[in-house]
């Protein structure tokens, strides 16, 4: 992979110095380059989803805003068609949370992350499921969702017919975490609504068996999308534990740096590492954007002093604005009487050039998200 977006590749090729220190802005620019946030790129929707190793999908429209921020001329139907044509699916993966991934990635990722799913199930429902045989739970649950797609509520009620002493919520969670379930359209289709119903990935995609786990491949793909990074960063993103040995096995094919705290960072030799002074245009990121959730230290893009204003106590990650590559506020889109209103709430006062650029980008966002409405962009006073 070569430097992207026309930026210079800092510390690449013959210039790499083992254990050279990358400052905070260098790490920020590397992340933005790999996340296609320095400049929108010309890729197919499927290529972008795979380059990013999937998209956070806890909110149904979140993947659409993520791709709009990253791709030239992205339209909602480009992603909706992938879901309808079974080229992409929504399923629980990294950190046992809902992601949208390509069909070709789905089973490989799920196989590698199965230990994460099982650990999450044990932590949340271990006591409620005590005494139940996981293999029996998985087999019976699979038969139910492959008979016909079901909501988790339906799944729990039918599971209780076999395990009446157990809670339906815990039983449904067992199936979700032990069997690779996918959410079916119209869930996740832009402009449509519907309950989240599930079947197995094997039944939906026509795959007969799961791929073999490949932790080292997962690490390399993570570095391509989010590096340079520590083993703790990969763990924070994936939910996997004990990655130190896998990183050491990969060391001969990687390059190593240090962050300002002295921690060792690993990276792919030819991955983009733009200069710290590379310009970064204002961007709007949707809810749960990958970029904010994929490192143990989120400070490379989300300043610590703003974290509580972005990541709420009940697990919501708000839609944010980036100014000079860093989170600098939140935004919200509302509709009333035929008008779409974009309200931007900066954390600090904006300069006139930043405000003008943000207003222009906001107008583009409204055209994308609410084409059939009249539009208004409101920028609140910074720090209010």
């Amino acid at each position: 992979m070569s430097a992207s977006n026309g930026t210079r590749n800092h510390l690449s090729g013959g210039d790499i110095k083992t254990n050279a220190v990358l400052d905070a802005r260098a790490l920020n620019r590397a992340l933005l380059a790999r996340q296609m946030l320095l400049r929108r790129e010309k890729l197919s929707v499927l290529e972008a989803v795979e380059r990013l190793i999937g998209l956070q999908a806890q909110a149904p429209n979140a993947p659409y805003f993520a791709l709009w921020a990253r791709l030239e001329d992205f339209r909602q139907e480009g992603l909706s068609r992938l879901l309808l044509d079974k080229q992409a699916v929504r399923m629980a993966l990294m950190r046992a949370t809902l992601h949208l991934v390509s069909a070709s990635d789905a089973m490989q990722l799920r196989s590698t992350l199965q230990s994460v799913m099982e650990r999450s199930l044990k932590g949340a429902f271990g006591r409620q499921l005590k005494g139940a045989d996981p293999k029996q739970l998985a087999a019976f649950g699979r038969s139910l969702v492959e008979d016909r797609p079901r909501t988790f509520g339906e799944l729990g009620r039918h599971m209780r017919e076999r395990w009446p002493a157990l809670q339906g919520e815990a039983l449904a969670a067992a199936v979700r975490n032990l069997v690779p379930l996918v959410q079916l359209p119209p869930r996740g289709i832009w402009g449509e609504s519907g309950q989240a119903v599930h079947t197995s990935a094997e039944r939906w995609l026509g795959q007969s068996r799961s791929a073999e786990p490949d932790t080292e491949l997962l690490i390399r793909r993570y570095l391509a999308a989010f590096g340079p990074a520590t083993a703790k960063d990969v763990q924070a993103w994936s939910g996997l534990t004990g990655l130190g040995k896998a990183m050491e096995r990969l060391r001969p094919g990687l390059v190593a740096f240090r962050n300002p705290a002295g921690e060792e960072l690993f990276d792919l030799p030819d991955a983009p590492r733009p200069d710290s002074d590379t310009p970064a245009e204002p961007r709007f990121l949707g809810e749960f954007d990958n970029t904010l959730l994929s490192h143990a230290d989120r400070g490379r893009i989300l300043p610590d002093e703003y974290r509580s204003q972005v990541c709420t106590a009940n697990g919501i990650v708000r839609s944010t604005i980036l100014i000079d590559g860093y989170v600098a506020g939140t935004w919200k889109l509302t509709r009333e009487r035929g008008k779409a209103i974009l309200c931007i709430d900066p954390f600090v006062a904006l300069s006139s050039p930043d405000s003008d650029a943000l207003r222009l980008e906001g107008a583009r966002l409204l055209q994308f998200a609410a084409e059939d409405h009249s539009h208004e962009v409101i920028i609140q006073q910074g720090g209010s």
Side-chain angles (χ1 to χ4, degrees), residues 126-197:
R127 290 185 179 181
Q128 293 94 318
L129 295 170
K130 188 175 182 180
D133 185 330
K135 291 183 179 180
Q136 292 181 7
L137 292 172
F140 188 63
R142 180 185 287 276
S143 70
L144 289 172
V145 297
E146 291 187 346
D147 174 58
R148 67 176 180 85
R150 301 178 189 270
T151 67
F152 284 143
E154 291 175 307
L155 184 57
R157 289 193 294 273
H158 284 285
M159 293 287 288
R160 288 200 70 206
E161 295 175 5
R162 177 109 173 239
W163 288 274
L166 301 182
Q167 297 177 2
E169 181 185 8
L171 290 165
V175 181
R176 172 189 183 269
N177 286 39
L178 298 173
V179 179
L181 299 185
V182 296
Q183 284 189 2
L184 306 190
R187 189 72 168 180
I189 302 300
W190 183 276
E192 298 190 27
S193 60
Q195 288 185 302
V197 297

Side-chain angles (χ1 to χ4, degrees), residues 143 153 231 323 325 375:
S143 70
I323 298 293
H375 301 155

